[in-house]
């Protein structure tokens, strides 16, 4: 039987782990799937890097076109990351009639539509299981296992680095900067960790999910994205007092044909399943109309989980090639979308905090701003610090974001208010 020939572009940590696993496990994979995968060429600009992980170092080249253009290669795995070069490799491979596997969520978020159209025109497959939630087989579940469902609400912890940082801050009292340095040492962070901490890596993954679930190829620039840089020890203490943990959450939600897409640090009640997702783990909590709530959980970052996902795509594509199929399963979104929701219409409960002069009337003046904007208050706490300063904390009832922001802006201008209002959103959704 013919082999399914794999070309790899990018021979860093993940690329070399993929090569090692394929070399070691090819026979076992063939026995269990019937697909004989063979790594036939590896391209990396740095010739020396990870050379020793190859049984036959002769397959290593610095010339990427030797992978993209080789007619003997069936599938190209793109693991170089970044966008412009990765796009050239993926589009070039498709143009040369090759199937593609990529872990590149940033690329898919910005050019997913173009890539998928190019693949469909040529009856080729693009596998991207590794792009979202690493080793958790979420993409396959969405494309296959959940195909019968209408999915309207998704909450995700999609970034291991930020979840690790928030866990360390909350459980050990560690500072943000120290926790980030530790995540970097452990190898979860992106080469540019700003992608992690500013929420963009989460947004890229959410945009891939939005495409699969709602059929919308929306670049992450269309999302409202807030990261975790501003999370302080004070926020952590407040979360604990409120019986919550702070998590960087992606929210994808459809209501009456309008889509809400956002990424923000949220107060998640400790009884919520997402509150227990610790360290570099990822989780996606979604609701299918037939299945009800589902929770996917596992390692979203690191080389072994990524290799697991890439190989699952390779086996699927290999089986497709060997069967000689030309039909390509894409996403079949069951919900039709008319547009994006206005961010001001986002509805949740809010935690607000100000530093204030410790004087009579401060709570009254601040709560008056909320009342005037039509924001219902659930609780108010005032705490003097003994230094002439105090803290006012408010939890609102279910409110529209536009009204809350208006109230916060007005309260920020009150004489005696000494800090801009701190705002955190609660996320209580989908429980039960
Ligand atoms: N930097 C990413 C994370 C790696 O921390 O989740 C996986 O995409």
């Amino acid at each position: 039987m013919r082999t399914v020939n794999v070309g790899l572009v990018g021979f860093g940590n993940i690329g070399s782990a993929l090569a090692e696993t394929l070399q070691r496990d090819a026979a076992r994979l063939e026995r269990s799937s019937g697909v004989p995968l063979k790594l036939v060429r590896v391209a990396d600009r740095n010739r020396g890097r990870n050379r020793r992980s190859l049984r036959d170092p002769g397959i290593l080249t610095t010339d990427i076109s030797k992978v993209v253009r080789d007619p003997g290669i069936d599938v190209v795995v793109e693991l170089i990351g970044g966008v412009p070069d990765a796009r050239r490799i993926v589009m070039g491979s498709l143009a040369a009639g090759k199937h593609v596997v990529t872990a590149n969520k940033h690329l898919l978020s910005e050019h997913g539509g173009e890539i998928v159209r190019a693949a469909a025109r040529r009856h080729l497959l693009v596998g991207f299981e590794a792009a979202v939630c690493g080793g958790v087989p979420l993409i396959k579940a969405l494309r296959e296992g959940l195909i019968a469902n209408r999915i309207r609400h998704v909450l995700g912890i999609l970034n291991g680095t930020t979840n690790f940082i928030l866990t360390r801050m909350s459980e050990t009292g560690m500072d943000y900067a120290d926790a980030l340095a530790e995540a970097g040492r452990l190898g979860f962070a992106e080469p540019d960790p700003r992608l992690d901490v500013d929420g963009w890596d989460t947004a890229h993954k959410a945009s891939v999910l939005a495409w699969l679930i709602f059929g919308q190829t929306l670049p992450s620039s269309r999302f409202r994205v807030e990261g975790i840089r501003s999370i302080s020890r004070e926020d952590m203490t407040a979360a604990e007092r409120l019986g919550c943990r702070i998590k960087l959450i992606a929210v994808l939600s459809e209501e009456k044909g309008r889509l809400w897409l956002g990424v923000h640090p949220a107060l998640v009640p400790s009884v919520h399943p997402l509150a227990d997702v610790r360290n570099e783990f990822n989780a996606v909590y979604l609701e299918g109309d037939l299945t009800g709530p589902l929770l996917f959980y596992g390692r979203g970052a690191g080389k072994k989980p990524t290799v697991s996902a890439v190989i699952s795509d390779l086996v699927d594509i290999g089986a497709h090639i060997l069967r000689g199929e030309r039909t390509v399963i894409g996403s079949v979104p069951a919900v039709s979308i008319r547009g994006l929701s206005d961010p001001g219409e986002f509805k949740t409960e809010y935690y607000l905090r100000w530093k204030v002069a410790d004087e009579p009337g401060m709570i009254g003046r601040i709560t008056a701003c909320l009342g005037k904007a039509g924001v219902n208050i659930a609780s108010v706490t005032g705490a003097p610090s003994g230094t002439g300063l105090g803290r006012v904390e408010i939890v609102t009832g279910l409110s529209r974001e536009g009204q809350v922001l208006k109230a916060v802006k007005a309260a920020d201008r009150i004489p005696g208010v000494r800090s801009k209002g701190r705002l955190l959103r609660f996320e209580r959704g989908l429980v039960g």
Side-chain angles (χ1 to χ4, degrees):
M1 183 166 47
R2 96 190 216 23
T3 53
V4 172
N5 293 336
V6 178
L8 167 62
V9 183
F11 206 45
N13 265 344
I14 295 173
S16 59
L18 174 67
E20 279 168 10
T21 313
L22 280 178
Q23 291 168 149
R24 189 191 63 213
D25 292 348
R28 180 181 63 80
L29 284 166
E30 184 178 350
R31 275 198 306 280
S32 58
S33 67
V35 179
L37 294 172
K38 184 167 183 210
L39 183 64
V40 296
R41 186 145 313 126
V42 177
D44 195 279
R45 292 205 180 96
N46 179 345
R47 186 187 284 277
R49 162 162 103 142
N50 295 317
R51 200 179 174 81
R52 267 185 290 169
S53 53
L54 288 175
R55 276 188 199 153
D56 173 10
I59 66 172
L60 198 54
T61 171
T62 51
D63 182 356
I64 290 173
S65 72
K66 290 210 168 121
V67 173
V68 172
R69 302 229 181 94
D70 180 346
I73 289 177
D74 301 297
V75 194
V76 172
V77 180
E78 179 279 306
L79 291 178
I80 62 160
V83 174
D85 289 345
R87 176 171 171 247
R88 271 193 292 279
I89 290 161
V90 167
M91 294 303 284
S93 302
L94 293 170
K98 298 176 195 323
H99 303 275
V100 168
V101 175
T102 177
N104 193 329
K105 55 270 170 178
H106 194 169
L107 173 71
L108 292 167
S109 156
E110 289 190 7
H111 300 288
E114 171 191 30
I115 291 169
V116 166
R117 281 192 298 277
R121 269 199 302 277
R122 296 175 179 85
H123 303 281
L124 294 166
L125 295 177
V126 179
F128 49 91
E129 186 63 69
V132 185
C133 283
V136 183
L138 176 67
I139 304 296
K140 201 172 176 71
L142 288 170
R143 282 183 142 166
E144 298 178 17
L146 295 174
I147 194 83
N149 286 262
R150 293 164 79 92
I151 296 169
R152 293 212 149 91
H153 304 289
V154 182
L155 298 174
I157 295 177
L158 304 178
N159 181 268
T161 301
T162 46
N163 203 46
F164 179 84
I165 294 172
L166 293 171
T167 308
R168 299 294 276 164
M169 286 175 77
S170 140
E171 293 181 4
T172 68
M174 200 180 240
D175 272 331
Y176 165 81
D178 294 339
L180 171 61
E182 196 181 338
R185 278 196 298 279
L186 291 170
F188 312 136
E190 294 296 302
D192 177 358
R194 286 176 300 182
L195 285 173
D196 296 304
V197 298
D198 293 330
W200 291 105
D201 178 73
T202 301
H204 295 150
K205 293 166 180 168
S207 120
V208 174
L209 295 182
W211 169 63
L212 282 175
I213 296 171
F214 302 113
Q216 303 287 305
T217 47
L218 294 161
S220 49
S221 53
R222 304 279 306 274
F223 291 37
R224 187 200 60 196
V225 179
E226 288 173 22
I228 64 159
R229 271 180 211 266
S230 65
I231 300 294
S232 61
R233 282 201 201 173
E234 220 178 339
D235 293 329
M236 287 290 170
T237 314
E240 207 174 315
R241 268 199 313 272
L242 293 161
C244 293
R245 307 220 173 97
I246 298 178
K247 298 285 174 195
L248 185 66
I249 299 279
V251 183
L252 293 89
S253 178
E254 181 270 339
E255 216 170 301
K256 297 188 187 129
R258 297 239 164 240
L259 201 53
W260 167 258
L261 301 167
V263 175
H264 55 249
L267 290 161
V268 179
S270 49
V271 291
H272 192 286
L274 291 182
D276 275 335
V277 178
R278 296 171 62 245
N279 295 325
E280 77 277 21
F281 279 77
N282 283 192
V284 169
Y285 198 42
L286 57 81
E287 203 170 78
D289 62 341
L290 303 175
T291 59
L294 285 169
L295 180 65
F296 295 84
Y297 170 84
R299 282 187 202 281
K303 61 184 179 182
K304 285 186 182 173
T306 307
V307 164
S308 162
V310 168
I311 291 182
S312 116
D313 280 339
L314 285 173
V315 167
D316 272 356
I317 291 175
H320 175 95
I321 293 171
L322 295 178
R323 287 195 298 259
E325 283 173 358
R326 278 176 63 79
T327 335
V328 174
I329 303 179
S331 74
V332 188
V335 179
S336 61
I337 299 298
R338 288 186 290 122
L340 295 183
S341 307
D342 169 0
E345 292 296 307
F346 184 70
K347 253 174 121 179
T348 187
E349 294 147 52
Y350 294 80
Y351 162 83
L352 307 170
R353 183 181 69 234
W354 287 267
K355 241 183 221 124
V356 298
D358 188 14
E359 289 166 6
M362 290 310 299
I363 288 183
R365 274 173 246 147
I366 290 176
T367 52
C369 293
L370 288 151
K372 201 167 160 207
V375 177
N376 207 13
I377 293 174
S379 73
V380 184
T381 328
S385 68
T387 58
L389 277 182
R391 185 180 69 217
V392 175
E393 290 173 290
I394 293 178
V395 174
T396 74
L398 198 60
S399 310
R400 282 183 208 291
E401 182 137 337
Q403 287 170 297
V404 175
L405 290 177
K406 194 169 155 200
V408 170
K409 219 166 155 187
D412 286 353
R413 289 196 294 263
I414 295 171
V417 168
R418 298 282 159 77
S419 70
K420 283 210 174 306
R422 176 67 171 135
L423 176 152
L424 288 170
R425 302 168 187 88
F426 282 85
E427 183 49 72
R428 304 188 194 273
L430 306 189
V431 180

